[in-house]
Amino acid sequence: MYFSKLYAPTLRETPAEAEVVSHKLLLRGGFIRKSSSGVYTYLTLAQRVLQKISAIVREEMNKAGGQEIMLPVIQPAELWLESGRWHVYGKELFRLKDRHDRDFCLGPTHEEIITDLVRGDVYSYRQLPLLLYQMQNKYRDERRPRFGLMRGREFIMKDLYSFDKDEAGLDVSYQKMYDAYTAIFTRCGLKFRPVEADSGAIGGSDTHEFMVIADSGEAEIVYCPECDYAANVEIALCVPSDNGEEPAKNMEKISTPGQTTIEQVSQFLQVPAQKLIKTLFYQADDEIIAVLVRGDRTINEIKLQRVHPSLTLEMASAQQIKEVTGCEPGYVGPLKLGKQIKIYADNEVKTMVNGVCGANEENYHYINVQPERDFPRTTYADLRLIEKGETCPKCQAVLNWARGIEVGQVFKLGTKYSEALNAKYVDENGKDNLMVMGCYGIGVSRTLAATVEQNYDEHGIIWPMSIAPYQVVVVPVKVQDPEIWQGAQTLYEELQKAGVEVVLDDRDERAGVKFKDADLIGYPIRLTIGKKYASEELVEVKLRKDSEISYINKNEIIEHVKGIIEKY
Ligand code: ATP
Ligand code: MG
């Protein structure tokens, strides 16, 4: 490809709307253009990268036994009503009506469609396991589309769905996908980690997110430096810290006029926040529940939903709190609550000695409460957010923290969709069973952006060889010089013949300008035809990922380049 013909309109200035590196560099490098909020056009260079990522994904999916199909983008509301998600999915679902006023949506994901497909055509255990996947645009009307390709409203996803006879079969399919994802992101040249993740409000199935480590990542993860434990902080297990030992004293109600916050009560009573018990009320569907954590900790609502499953979970209003406790929120506690109010407490609360909690009476708190003794109908669980400096739940080493970009997720669905849509097969004994499902997604366009977030410097992108838009750029320093131009053209043709993906920068520009664009676009190998070519038949070789320059004789350059590509 001649650069003058390549549709890669590079920009000098960074467009003001771009906040993160990948968005800036992909716009400046002429890879993408915005169409509307969260919707982008992929130009030639980006399309080539996407095709390479897709090829790697396809190879690994096929290797793992997946079969590629293509499901419709437009999905009828009936299926979403059948699964119950039409009303649950909310505003992220792009909904539309046809000319007959029938409801449809644009697929944000394809569990319904594929379960409907499979229930129609698969009826025997002999047809299972079945692993079907597709690569397609997905549509989600995200609340905050941002960061360019990272969080789009139209984006490319590979999604695979597995159908097995039983849980044991699902375990095998899940492991296959986990391994395939590991292979895919390794081949893409990314530094990543699979982490334990949130499986959503209902069902406690296994799920892992594949996180590309990058400061701009929206997710936060913890990982153990000593063992293999790694988790999204949303669900990371907390080891209760030692509350110390002291003789238990008698509970006492004391006056705390006007002291309503943790800080105020802690100051007023001269006790550290660790000694205080924070009581919060939530509305979970149509029930009010009480949740306790130590005063210096934060409740983790995802963990709360695991022990108390509900479709919606919101902090109760001051009015609701007053109704159940009979007092203002600043003085509430777990004592004297009506039996209909379930009480949950974080594990750490259990071992507190001589704690402080609200008295459910304005201007009063209790001191010297012993939760195990005084709150008998409490359910204890891990309900708090992990904090920096905490230790690994498996091996006690201090956990490391990092930010990550979620590029993929693997998920055991179990029978959630097969039950809702009645997808059954007949087993060896002639008995009907529900199929056991898994789903597995990779954000193909997000992977492109994540690669840039991890591979760049102040000059531009540094593509890993495996997914670079082109492997090599040939730069003649002066196209007006016939010897240099001839040399560059010959090299370009020979590289093409050798199967190397190459761009020839044929523009009548200064070498500096061409080098700048080469760095911005990020070709892994730059070959310069300059003075040393004319005098000594030497080609200048520079790799984008380091600063060294070497000179190779024109007769050896093709083999040399092939060697670099192989070893890179
Ligand atoms: P997120 O938590 O980032 O919103 P998600 O968990 O909702 O993502 P999944 O339903 O697991 O996403 O989709 C599978 C993959 O699709 C994700 O791992 C991610 O790589 C990609 N993806 C999801 N939403 C977007 C988006 N808005 N733009 C680009 N890629 C996305
Ligand atoms: Mg996800």
Side-chain angles (χ1 to χ4, degrees), residues 128-415:
L128 303 177
L130 184 61
L131 277 64
L132 301 175
Y133 76 95
Q134 61 165 349
M135 221 166 304
Q136 190 187 58
N137 280 350
K138 290 280 187 284
Y139 297 85
R140 294 185 185 177
D141 198 357
E142 296 272 358
R143 194 165 49 89
R144 280 187 74 193
R146 58 183 187 155
F147 300 160
L149 300 186
M150 210 85 90
R151 184 168 295 286
R153 297 198 297 166
E154 173 180 276
F155 59 96
I156 307 169
M157 197 202 285
K158 181 287 302 175
D159 42 334
L160 183 142
Y161 304 86
S162 65
F163 297 84
D164 276 281
K165 289 192 291 186
D166 49 25
E167 292 289 334
L170 171 60
D171 289 347
V172 173
S173 296
Y174 187 86
Q175 190 61 42
K176 275 188 184 161
M177 284 301 120
Y178 185 102
D179 294 343
Y181 277 33
T182 303
I184 287 165
F185 297 120
T186 305
R187 286 180 63 186
C188 288
L190 292 164
K191 288 190 279 299
F192 67 95
R193 262 177 193 274
V195 303
E196 292 175 15
D198 175 29
S199 61
I202 296 162
S205 296
D206 284 351
T207 178
H208 287 86
E209 288 164 339
F210 283 73
M211 295 285 190
V212 164
I213 308 300
D215 291 339
S216 59
E218 289 183 286
E220 211 158 11
I221 65 165
V222 290
Y223 60 94
C224 182
E226 304 288 336
C227 74
D228 63 355
Y229 182 74
N232 192 313
V233 295
E234 288 178 352
I235 59 111
L237 300 172
C238 295
V239 181
S241 66
D242 189 354
N243 280 316
E245 284 187 33
E246 58 184 88
K249 299 183 202 155
N250 288 334
M251 186 164 82
E252 219 180 304
K253 189 164 86 179
I254 54 164
S255 165
T256 51
Q259 313 300 312
T260 59
T261 66
I262 293 290
E263 294 76 47
Q264 286 170 345
V265 177
S266 158
Q267 273 277 325
F268 184 81
L269 298 176
Q270 289 297 300
V271 290
Q274 291 100 284
K275 285 275 186 198
L276 269 47
I277 296 164
K278 203 158 38 178
T279 307
L280 295 162
F281 290 88
Y282 280 89
Q283 173 160 13
D285 294 339
D286 41 22
E287 184 183 351
I288 303 283
I289 58 173
V291 190
L292 320 180
V293 277
R294 240 170 56 174
D296 57 335
R297 303 296 198 189
T298 311
I299 286 178
N300 181 329
E301 294 177 3
I302 290 174
K303 290 180 179 176
L304 179 58
Q305 278 204 304
R306 284 186 171 186
V307 297
H308 187 96
S310 64
L311 286 175
T312 60
L313 183 74
E314 277 170 46
M315 298 284 282
S317 66
Q319 183 56 35
Q320 287 173 314
I321 294 174
K322 240 175 146 168
E323 276 163 27
V324 297
T325 63
C327 91
E328 291 294 327
Y331 306 97
V332 295
L335 289 156
K336 297 188 288 191
L337 280 181
K339 285 252 175 351
Q340 78 284 6
I341 308 289
K342 287 203 184 100
I343 304 173
Y344 295 96
D346 178 61
N347 286 331
E348 245 171 15
V349 172
K350 193 172 182 175
T351 56
M352 281 173 81
V353 191
N354 300 329
V356 177
C357 69
N360 285 339
E361 196 178 324
E362 240 136 277
N363 298 325
Y364 285 97
H365 279 80
Y366 282 113
I367 60 168
N368 301 332
V369 295
Q370 325 300 338
E372 280 224 82
R373 180 193 71 194
D374 300 330
F375 317 153
R377 56 184 197 86
T378 301
T379 305
Y380 290 96
D382 175 11
L383 290 179
R384 66 182 179 86
L385 274 178
I386 194 164
E387 291 173 16
K388 296 230 161 93
E390 293 205 44
T391 55
C392 173
K394 278 192 177 167
C395 78
Q396 313 309 319
V398 174
L399 291 168
N400 286 335
W401 286 58
R403 299 201 74 88
I405 302 167
E406 181 197 323
V407 287
Q409 184 161 16
V410 293
F411 201 107
K412 289 186 185 172
L413 292 170
T415 55

Side-chain angles (χ1 to χ4, degrees), residues 59 80 103 175:
E59 268 182 48
W80 285 73
D103 287 313
Q175 190 61 42

Side-chain angles (χ1 to χ4, degrees), residues 58-79:
R58 279 198 173 91
E59 268 182 48
E60 297 298 333
M61 288 299 107
N62 294 344
K63 220 192 276 177
Q67 298 178 51
E68 185 166 359
I69 59 172
M70 184 69 108
L71 296 159
V73 169
I74 296 183
Q75 308 187 8
E78 286 77 35
L79 289 178

